[in-house]
């Protein structure tokens, strides 16, 4: 089932749906961490940023050496400024 759902924009719609909740009225940015090799997450958040007419701001956050003692890849902090609220789009 997961394969059948890929590429249909479900992740983007879920993020937008969450941001449309009244509890998120004051939210001005979305942040997540992503490893460099997580292509699916990069694709999702790039599409979401484009949907928001925004861009990704990226910086190393949890580093492989300092935080993970070489047991996990560096997690990059990805920030998407939310310049406008868009209606949920299919």
């Amino acid at each position: 089932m997961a394969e059948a759902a890929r590429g249909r924009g479900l992740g983007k719609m879920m993020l937008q749906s969450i941001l449309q909740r009244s509890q998120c009225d004051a939210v001005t940015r979305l942040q997540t961490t992503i490893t460099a090799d997580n292509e699916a997450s990069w694709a999702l958040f790039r599409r979401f940023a484009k949907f928001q007419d925004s861009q990704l701001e990226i910086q190393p956050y949890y580093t492989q050496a300092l935080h993970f003692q070489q047991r996990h890849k560096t997690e990059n902090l990805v920030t998407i400024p939310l310049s406008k609220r868009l209606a949920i789009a299919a």
Side-chain angles (χ1 to χ4, degrees):
M1 182 61 181
E3 285 294 324
R6 287 196 180 159
R8 295 180 178 239
L10 181 60
K12 181 183 78 172
M13 288 190 302
M14 289 171 63
L15 290 170
Q16 191 60 31
S17 177
I18 290 167
L19 289 171
Q20 292 297 320
R21 296 175 184 173
S22 61
Q23 299 92 330
C24 295
D25 285 348
V27 173
T28 60
R29 68 182 184 265
L30 181 136
Q31 290 184 307
T32 189
T33 60
I34 309 173
T35 56
D37 63 348
N38 190 334
E39 295 176 21
S41 288
W42 286 109
L44 166 63
F45 288 102
R46 282 188 181 110
R47 281 192 305 270
F48 186 74
K50 184 176 181 179
F51 180 70
Q52 287 288 326
D53 290 332
S54 191
Q55 301 212 356
L56 303 180
E57 298 172 1
I58 305 162
Q59 64 186 40
Y61 195 64
Y62 297 115
T63 63
Q64 186 174 21
L66 182 62
H67 297 97
F68 297 124
Q69 290 76 45
Q70 305 299 334
R71 292 182 292 228
H72 182 74
K73 295 179 181 177
T74 294
E75 293 275 349
N76 296 292
L77 179 64
V78 178
T79 302
I80 302 172
L82 303 174
S83 56
K84 63 180 180 177
R85 298 301 181 129
L86 299 173
I88 297 173

